[in-house]
Amino acid sequence: MPMRTPIPWSEVLLNTASTSKSSEVPPVEAPTSEQQSLPPRYMHDTYSEIILPFASSPELFERYTNALGGLRTGMLMEHLDSLAGSISYKHMLGPGVETLGRIQERGFYIVTASVDRLDVLGPLMPVRDIRLSGIVIYTGKSSMEVAVKMEAIGASGVEDTLLLGRFSMVCRDARTHKARLVNPLVRCSPEEAALYSMGENAKARRQTLALRSLSRVPPSSAEAADLHAMYLQYGQDADPLSRHERVWMGDTQLEKTMLMFPQERNVHQKVFGGYLMRLAYELGFSNASLLTRSHVTFMSLDSISFAKPVPIGSILRLTSQILHTTPGAVHVGVEANVMDVRTGHEETTNDFRFTWCPDDGAAVPRRVVPKTYQEAMLWLEGKRALEMGDQIRGKRNSE
């Protein structure tokens, strides 16, 4: 079920013009009894997978290869976002429906609200066939948690898990754009019950983290002590060695400004979220490489927030900044802003957070140091994200 629209852009423009000329606003219909009592869906019916035969198809591999002969991780992320959207529509429409059709006819649409995490658990090299799979593991009133997995399939059929992650999807009414109820989820086995509990816990954890956000509450005493210790070691100019190892956070910014074309639109006639993920990943990768002065290896996508859709034809500014460094990792933030050419006003649409590490276990040669209070809060947010990633990878390695 493709997340890229099959409708020609000329037809979209024509429909938009016809809608704008109409002065009458159609009345909002009350929810029907069918909407109020949606049929439940079985969890196993939402499972979907895609096979990318890189090892057996040189032509396909050529489209995804990077400069070092590996796979472009950003393009695989783009597929994972599309897969999560397809699975969400499959849950809403039922397992027997194979085409999405027109959004207005369906009466609803689904958008990515956030990406909880995408954690790398194994190397992409050597290049093998890749399976991308996913399943709805939890539903709220108008939201769904979709778990995704990336696996490598060896020549002998042995499968290695390369990446695990979760997408949070929300359903909206196509006419009012308000929250719309989603079908409840039925669990039929202890394994499915465990997955449901995992999704429920993930949603509760996001709510807890939101309450602990440094935009709402001050840092803890331990975090304040860590920040002061970093200042004493790297924030002063008395020690020439610290000046050599230090990079001010504000000096790490990289920008990319682009015009958004209709070829990258989704079924809602906005810029496809997976495409934005790829752009942000590649800019963040470049920034991490410049800081470390080496090639870097992707460790995790720590979070993505989708605040607003990016319109087709808009000018998008992507700004990347190094937020935190440790001897073994670089945490990068990428902010996406839509620019109004008439007023110069910018509006944030997305916030991406990634983590990379230098290749071959080399140490990060420099430390990023904040200058302002706002940068200090970003530094602490990066520290929290790196600590969370270490916990997840440590737990996985102990299993």
Side-chain angles (χ1 to χ4, degrees):
M1 192 175 296
M3 292 297 97
R4 302 281 189 156
T5 181
I7 304 173
W9 182 243
S10 57
E11 183 177 340
V12 174
L13 291 177
L14 182 62
N15 291 338
T16 303
S18 300
T19 303
S20 62
K21 290 179 181 178
S22 175
S23 59
E24 296 183 2
V25 178
V28 177
E29 299 178 356
T32 64
S33 58
E34 182 181 357
Q35 290 174 321
Q36 293 174 342
S37 57
L38 293 170
R41 306 294 190 202
Y42 290 99
M43 183 182 292
H44 56 262
D45 282 339
T46 67
Y47 175 83
S48 300
E49 66 178 37
I50 304 171
I51 302 295
L52 300 172
F54 294 122
S56 53
S57 175
E59 296 81 8
L60 181 66
F61 175 65
E62 177 65 22
R63 290 164 49 194
Y64 288 78
T65 186
N66 60 27
L68 297 179
L71 294 171
R72 292 178 59 181
T73 307
M75 294 184 70
L76 297 176
M77 284 185 183
E78 195 170 352
H79 285 317
L80 287 173
D81 182 68
S82 181
L83 178 64
S86 297
I87 290 170
S88 301
Y89 277 108
K90 185 178 181 181
H91 172 81
M92 291 293 294
L93 298 173
V97 178
E98 296 183 355
T99 57
L100 177 58
R102 297 177 181 268
I103 294 299
Q104 293 298 328
E105 295 173 0
R106 294 295 185 187
F108 68 90
Y109 62 93
I110 295 171
V111 296
T112 305
S114 64
V115 181
D116 200 355
R117 291 193 65 87
L118 294 176
D119 287 282
V120 174
L121 305 177
L124 290 177
M125 297 290 286
V127 174
R128 294 153 287 178
D129 290 349
I130 297 291
R131 175 192 290 123
L132 305 179
S133 62
I135 188 172
V136 175
I137 62 172
Y138 173 81
T139 56
K141 290 183 178 180
S142 61
S143 64
M144 293 169 273
E145 299 285 323
V146 180
V148 296
K149 181 192 292 187
M150 183 190 301
E151 298 169 290
I153 307 173
S156 61
V158 177
E159 300 172 355
D160 294 326
T161 300
L162 304 181
L163 180 145
L164 291 174
R166 292 183 303 274
F167 286 74
S168 177
M169 317 296 290
V170 293
C171 185
R172 294 286 183 260
D173 188 280
R175 301 179 68 182
T176 66
H177 306 292
K178 295 182 179 181
R180 174 168 171 150
L181 297 177
V182 301
N183 300 67
L185 195 62
V186 177
R187 290 85 73 192
C188 299
S189 68
E191 292 79 10
E192 291 186 352
L195 287 174
Y196 188 89
S197 178
M198 181 191 304
E200 193 173 29
N201 292 337
K203 182 177 181 179
R205 183 167 58 252
R206 278 199 308 274
Q207 294 171 343
T208 301
L209 291 175
L211 294 176
R212 291 182 57 235
S213 171
L214 293 171
S215 62
R216 293 188 175 187
V217 297
S220 67
S221 56
E223 290 175 328
D226 290 338
L227 188 61
H228 187 67
M230 181 273 303
Y231 165 76
L232 293 177
Q233 184 173 2
Y234 296 105
Q236 303 181 83
D237 294 331
D239 185 359
L241 181 61
S242 68
R243 292 201 304 271
H244 176 72
E245 296 176 346
R246 178 191 66 201
V247 179
W248 295 118
M249 184 182 293
D251 294 336
T252 67
Q253 283 194 358
L254 282 182
E255 288 190 355
K256 182 175 185 178
T257 303
M258 303 178 63
L259 182 62
M260 296 290 100
F261 291 101
Q263 287 76 19
E264 304 298 342
R265 70 190 187 277
N266 58 21
V267 294
H268 320 119
Q269 311 309 322
K270 305 295 182 181
V271 175
F272 178 48
Y275 174 66
L276 298 174
M277 289 174 62
R278 172 158 63 91
L279 294 178
Y281 173 90
E282 292 173 353
L283 181 62
F285 174 89
S286 302
N287 207 348
S289 298
L290 290 172
L291 180 87
T292 61
R293 299 175 177 141
S294 67
H295 189 271
V296 291
T297 298
F298 179 60
M299 297 178 68
S300 61
L301 189 162
D302 301 281
S303 67
I304 299 179
S305 63
F306 291 84
K308 294 179 179 296
V310 177
I312 299 298
S314 62
I315 296 177
L316 185 75
R317 186 202 301 272
L318 291 171
T319 304
S320 170
Q321 191 172 36
I322 309 295
L323 303 183
H324 197 97
T325 54
T326 66
V330 178
H331 185 70
V332 184
V334 180
E335 186 177 87
N337 287 347
V338 169
M339 306 167 61
D340 189 321
V341 296
R342 293 167 297 180
T343 65
H345 175 71
E346 294 191 22
E347 191 172 30
T348 300
T349 58
N350 307 87
D351 186 68
F352 307 84
R353 302 295 173 89
F354 304 95
T355 299
W356 283 272
C357 66
D359 282 357
D360 303 324
V364 177
R366 296 183 289 173
R367 296 290 176 271
V368 166
V369 181
K371 263 189 177 181
T372 66
Y373 187 84
Q374 181 182 16
E375 290 179 350
M377 296 303 100
L378 292 173
W379 187 88
L380 288 175
E381 287 180 0
K383 183 175 183 296
R384 289 180 178 182
L386 290 178
E387 290 172 348
M388 174 66 72
D390 289 341
Q391 292 177 11
I392 292 174
R393 285 182 287 272
K395 182 178 180 181
R396 175 70 182 180
N397 293 335
S398 64
E399 291 178 353

